[in-house]
Amino acid sequence: MTPSEGVGRGMESVLEMLESLLALGGMVLLRDTVEWEGRSLLKALIKKSALYGEQVHVLGCEVSEEEFREGFDSNINSRLVYHDLFRDPLNWSKTGEALPGGPLEALRALCRRTDPGPVTVALDSLSWLLLHLPCTTLCQALHALSRQDPCPGKQVRVLGLLHEELHGPGPVRALSSLAQAEVTLSGALGQASAHILYRRPRQHPTHQTQRFSILPDFSLDLQGGPLLEPQPQPDPHTPPVDPTNHLTFNLRLSKKEREAKDSLTLPFQFSSEKQQALLRPGPGQATSHIFYEPDAYDDLDQEDPDDDLDI
């Protein structure tokens, strides 16, 4: 198998995984960060669902309906049913435009929908819902929404965008346990990548990492090639740099300098002549003697030198 064939098969496996995410019911959790936003990927998946002929319900919380629909053509927008929680989330204006009952009632209303055929529910975002609903209440509503027992041909899939940097590990793990698939966005050197964790029924989870880009019309462009950090390669025509250049001291000795160093006698080195001169006094040198007379308090007992301490 050639490298190009390997990349092609890897691309097909990722495409098949994305097709499986959209074809089966359940919940797909999109986890983004401040550096790598996930709303563009959410809109790309919404576009794929709409192109399949499905009805798409969008629970919009963080951006206006006009901003969310921007970039979609009329065919895609005609299949979007937008539930606006951005303009007046708590229905303070009492104009009737806001969703009655707030975000929780909006989720419950989605559970009671009667649209024929498969339906995609996009939540933008789960982080906003976590700020307005208890985590347990939100998880129960999502479980009821994504684990309905639909009739054949009426699968329900939930696309939930989560800004994971805003939450602790507890809520993130709780939402992760509800998801059949997780897409974690990251990247390096300006290139976005998605780590996909896909949990198939009665099978081991599947992991796949893929580089991608989002086109202006929110089409998903998967890119092949390994995810390797680029390493700078030295130019073979460039001579190596000597680190000893431009130093204020010399690290090497010439032959003449080394001979002068070896012939030098250091002050703490004693030659045999110097030792003899120090140990044996020469002629005319006065000798000295030490006379010692012990007194009554001197300790002369070598077996018990501390007997004078009176312990």
Side-chain angles (χ1 to χ4, degrees):
M1 183 174 64
T2 63
S4 60
E5 292 174 349
V7 171
R9 292 187 182 182
M11 294 276 288
E12 290 177 1
S13 65
V14 175
L15 285 173
E16 291 171 358
M17 186 176 297
L18 290 174
E19 297 290 339
S20 300
L21 297 182
L22 297 175
L24 299 177
M27 177 176 169
V28 179
L29 185 64
L30 306 179
R31 301 168 59 169
D32 71 351
T33 59
V34 173
E35 186 178 2
W36 303 100
E37 61 89 18
R39 184 168 291 112
S40 298
L41 180 59
L42 175 66
K43 295 176 72 170
L45 297 179
I46 288 174
K47 179 179 179 179
K48 275 188 170 292
S49 297
L51 290 176
Y52 291 152
E54 300 179 8
Q55 195 80 17
V56 181
H57 291 262
V58 179
L59 191 63
C61 309
E62 293 187 348
V63 297
S64 64
E65 180 177 359
E66 294 77 12
E67 181 178 348
F68 192 89
R69 289 181 179 272
E70 186 178 355
F72 290 139
D73 57 27
S74 58
N75 184 33
I76 302 299
N77 277 321
S78 64
R79 295 192 172 274
L80 262 61
V81 180
Y82 197 87
H83 305 272
D84 194 353
L85 280 174
F86 173 77
R87 185 171 304 175
D88 188 10
L90 301 179
N91 197 20
W92 285 354
S93 61
K94 303 296 182 181
T95 59
E97 298 179 358
L99 297 176
L104 181 58
E105 184 58 32
L107 287 174
R108 290 172 177 171
L110 291 175
C111 295
R112 298 190 298 266
R113 58 151 197 94
T114 58
D115 305 85
V119 172
T120 296
V121 177
L123 305 176
D124 183 19
S125 69
L126 290 172
S127 295
W128 188 95
L129 293 172
L130 277 174
L131 295 177
H132 294 79
L133 296 174
C135 182
T136 54
T137 303
L138 177 60
C139 289
Q140 290 171 359
L142 291 176
H143 179 81
L145 182 61
S146 60
R147 300 296 178 89
Q148 298 181 66
D149 187 15
C151 301
K154 291 187 64 176
Q155 292 89 357
V156 179
R157 73 189 54 84
V158 179
L159 303 176
L161 178 62
L162 178 69
H163 311 312
E164 62 176 329
E165 291 177 328
L166 301 180
H167 312 287
V172 174
R173 282 198 298 264
L175 294 172
S176 176
S177 65
L178 297 175
Q180 279 66 53
E182 295 182 55
V183 181
T184 304
L185 300 181
S186 60
L189 302 179
Q191 176 63 62
S193 62
H195 177 77
I196 304 173
L197 171 61
Y198 183 32
R199 301 182 179 96
R200 292 184 175 90
R202 296 180 297 277
Q203 295 185 24
H204 292 291
T206 302
H207 296 265
Q208 181 76 40
T209 302
Q210 178 64 49
R211 291 184 297 140
F212 73 96
S213 61
I214 305 295
L215 302 181
D217 62 346
F218 294 105
S219 298
L220 189 61
D221 180 24
L222 300 179
Q223 301 171 7
L227 295 172
L228 297 178
E229 293 287 344
Q231 300 292 335
Q233 299 295 331
D235 188 357
H237 303 290
T238 304
V241 178
D242 188 1
T244 63
N245 289 340
H246 309 295
L247 294 179
T248 57
F249 52 91
N250 189 12
L251 295 177
R252 297 183 179 90
L253 296 178
S254 63
K255 183 178 180 180
K256 183 177 181 181
E257 291 172 339
R258 187 174 298 277
E259 291 176 353
K261 174 188 173 187
D262 295 338
S263 62
L264 181 64
T265 301
L266 299 178
F268 54 83
Q269 291 179 337
F270 289 88
S271 62
S272 57
E273 294 80 4
K274 190 173 183 179
Q275 290 177 357
Q276 294 297 328
L278 293 175
L279 295 177
R280 295 181 181 178
Q285 291 182 347
T287 60
S288 60
H289 300 277
I290 298 176
F291 296 95
Y292 172 70
E293 182 177 353
D295 55 20
Y297 296 100
D298 286 341
D299 183 13
L300 300 178
D301 188 356
Q302 298 299 326
E303 295 183 0
D304 188 10
D306 296 330
D307 61 346
D308 60 331
L309 298 180
D310 243 359
I311 298 177

